[in-house]
Amino acid sequence: MLPIVILTLASTGFCLFLIAIPYFFAPKDKNSETKASAYECGLAPKQKRDSQISVKFFLTAILFILFDIEIIFLYPFALAYRDFLQTEQALGIILAMGIFILLFIFGLWWEIKSKALDWK
């Protein structure tokens, strides 16, 4: 128990130290013209702030992340599958993964049916 307390105190102290460094060493000028101006890679901004980026781009990105995370959840199951077959929980584990895969397939079907990835 003592090593956990020591590690917790050490990490908390280190975090507080990292937070305190800018407080003591950073310049105190909070409001300046440089901080108030827009920054776009060193160039003066040329576009309006309300740019015309398609919402479908963001939808595709969100769907990719969603399905990517679901596939990542299948990896630990695949690694532990053989161990689960030797226990009494084998049927429950396979049933749970079957439900998960069915939900995944339903989500993929819904995505295709709703034409979420059509860019036309």
Side-chain angles (χ1 to χ4, degrees):
M1 182 69 177
L2 185 61
I4 295 173
V5 172
I6 292 172
L7 183 62
T8 303
L9 290 175
S11 61
T12 304
F14 184 68
C15 290
L16 291 174
F17 174 71
L18 290 178
I19 292 171
I21 288 175
Y23 179 76
F24 291 113
F25 295 109
K28 303 298 183 215
D29 186 22
K30 300 283 184 191
N31 299 324
S32 67
E33 185 178 336
T34 306
K35 286 187 179 181
S37 67
Y39 177 74
E40 295 193 14
C41 302
L43 302 174
K46 295 181 179 179
Q47 291 182 346
K48 298 183 293 185
R49 291 182 187 238
D50 56 336
S51 61
Q52 300 294 327
I53 298 176
S54 176
V55 175
K56 291 187 178 195
F57 171 77
F58 296 107
L59 178 64
T60 303
I62 289 171
L63 290 172
F64 171 77
I65 291 171
L66 178 71
F67 284 104
D68 188 43
I69 290 172
E70 286 184 0
I71 292 297
I72 289 173
F73 282 139
L74 290 174
Y75 184 71
F77 173 76
L79 291 179
Y81 178 69
R82 187 180 312 148
D83 296 334
F84 285 130
L85 287 178
Q86 299 170 357
T87 65
E88 297 173 1
Q89 301 171 345
L91 184 62
I93 297 297
I94 291 174
L95 182 65
M97 189 47 64
I99 292 171
F100 181 80
I101 290 173
L102 283 174
L103 286 172
F104 178 75
I105 291 171
F106 174 75
L108 189 60
W109 172 79
W110 176 82
E111 180 180 348
I112 293 169
K113 183 173 170 33
S114 66
K115 298 180 181 175
L117 297 178
D118 286 348
W119 287 79
K120 296 177 185 178

